[in-house]
Amino acid sequence: MNKQAIGIFDSGVGGLAVAQAVHQLLPSEDLLYIADSGFMPYGSKTQDEIRQRCHAIVDYMATQGAKAVVVACNTATMAAIGSLRAHYSLPIVGVEPGVKPALQQSKSGVIGVLATPSTIASQSFQRLCRQQAEDLGRIVFQPCPELAATIEALHLDGEHTEALLRRYCEPLLSQGVDVLVLGCTHYAFIAPLLRRILPSGVSLITTEQAVALQLQRRLTPSSQLGTQPSATPGRVRLLTSGDSQRFSAQLQVLWPSVENPVITPLHLSCAELG
């Protein structure tokens, strides 16, 4: 078995939902997770700044011997995935909203996408939606400027978060949306609350399981995964460019089952890209 780690990173804790899905699907694999909380929110940065930051993170993961990298952030995927794949030879998996399966599942032909304002505004995201939608139906977008920060603060339930979600969902529901796509990895952590407040006829699509399966597909043909599960669970290394104590508190809520977590501070400098 190839015991090099799989690298996973996000601007904060949203990518932990992806990391958990990968850990569940590939329990014997070592994981290296980076929460780039010291540079968040990515949504307020320029596309060039995000690309530079992503390259710095993947550079670091490469020096740590990562055999693959998951860009577990929609904003970072839209801004940097092409540049990363052109620059590095290791497999790089991004996060894309499940627009096409949502349209295929929709009975009304209208789906909604909740995402950060920067993701919705990006040309890459709009192009992706046009390509995936084709003649399948109509997509309604709803920017959610406060939601990722609310989740980072661990407000996963309660009156404020519920009111915020109702405000974001109401314009979508009024247009006949019957499938709702979560276009930010952070949003997976408020999926239980969303399911409680959405009408029974509206379904929810998240992408963390699909990302884990795509990673498995990318690594299996090159024999970078073992053919048999190891009896020893993979080790999970956790690093953050932000406050380690805050990240530890977030981890206890968002991934309480992770074994023996050790959080290491990470300091990165971003070189100019040519």
Side-chain angles (χ1 to χ4, degrees):
M1 174 173 293
N2 188 322
K3 288 300 288 180
Q4 292 173 283
I6 294 167
I8 304 172
F9 76 92
D10 179 39
S11 62
V13 298
L16 288 174
V18 176
Q20 290 177 67
V22 172
H23 191 58
Q24 183 176 14
L25 182 66
L26 307 170
S28 60
E29 294 294 325
D30 290 345
L31 304 184
L32 171 65
Y33 184 87
I34 291 179
D36 194 19
S37 305
F39 197 69
M40 78 170 301
Y42 280 7
S44 65
K45 308 299 191 295
T46 67
Q47 298 289 289
D48 284 342
E49 287 174 326
I50 296 170
R51 277 192 291 271
Q52 289 168 8
R53 194 66 178 181
C54 291
H55 276 258
I57 291 171
V58 179
D59 279 346
Y60 175 81
M61 289 180 164
T63 66
Q64 298 298 300
K67 62 185 175 186
V69 171
V70 179
V71 184
C73 171
N74 292 79
T75 300
T77 297
M78 294 299 109
I81 196 72
S83 176
L84 292 172
R85 286 172 175 164
H87 189 79
Y88 300 96
S89 59
L90 72 168
I92 297 180
V93 176
V95 178
E96 295 179 350
V99 171
K100 190 168 184 177
L103 285 163
Q104 292 171 333
Q105 180 178 323
S106 174
K107 295 178 181 178
S108 70
V110 185
I111 70 164
V113 177
L114 298 177
T116 64
S118 59
T119 293
I120 291 174
S122 72
Q123 293 182 0
S124 300
F125 178 73
Q126 291 294 331
R127 183 169 57 250
L128 172 73
C129 289
R130 286 195 300 270
Q131 291 171 346
Q132 293 191 347
E134 296 178 347
D135 298 323
L136 294 175
R138 185 163 65 94
I139 306 172
V140 184
F141 304 101
Q142 175 60 51
C144 307
E146 301 175 52
L147 195 49
T150 298
I151 294 164
E152 286 276 333
L154 300 179
H155 300 313
L156 309 180
D157 209 329
E159 292 182 2
H160 171 76
T161 307
E162 181 173 337
L164 199 62
L165 291 178
R166 289 187 184 278
R167 175 154 57 90
Y168 291 146
C169 290
E170 193 279 329
L172 305 180
L173 297 175
S174 68
Q175 296 189 61
V177 163
D178 66 348
V179 183
L180 192 59
V181 177
L182 302 189
C184 172
T185 52
H186 280 77
Y187 301 171
F189 292 113
I190 48 86
L193 176 57
L194 265 175
R195 290 189 176 98
R196 290 208 309 271
I197 68 176
L198 288 172
S200 58
V202 178
S203 56
L204 209 58
I205 288 188
T206 61
T207 55
E208 58 272 13
Q209 300 296 332
V211 173
L213 287 167
Q214 175 64 7
L215 174 68
Q216 183 184 47
R217 285 191 291 267
R218 289 291 305 277
L219 292 179
T220 300
S222 56
S223 301
Q224 293 195 67
L225 295 175
T227 56
Q228 296 295 329
S230 169
T232 305
R235 185 167 67 113
V236 179
R237 291 178 58 201
L238 300 152
L239 299 93
T240 182
S241 61
D243 184 276
S244 296
Q245 290 186 338
R246 184 172 190 246
F247 185 48
S248 178
Q250 291 167 325
L251 194 68
Q252 290 175 30
V253 173
L254 302 178
W255 197 358
S257 63
V258 65
E259 295 184 8
N260 304 317
V262 176
I263 298 170
T264 305
L266 177 67
H267 304 285
L268 290 174
S269 58
C270 298
E272 292 291 329
L273 297 177

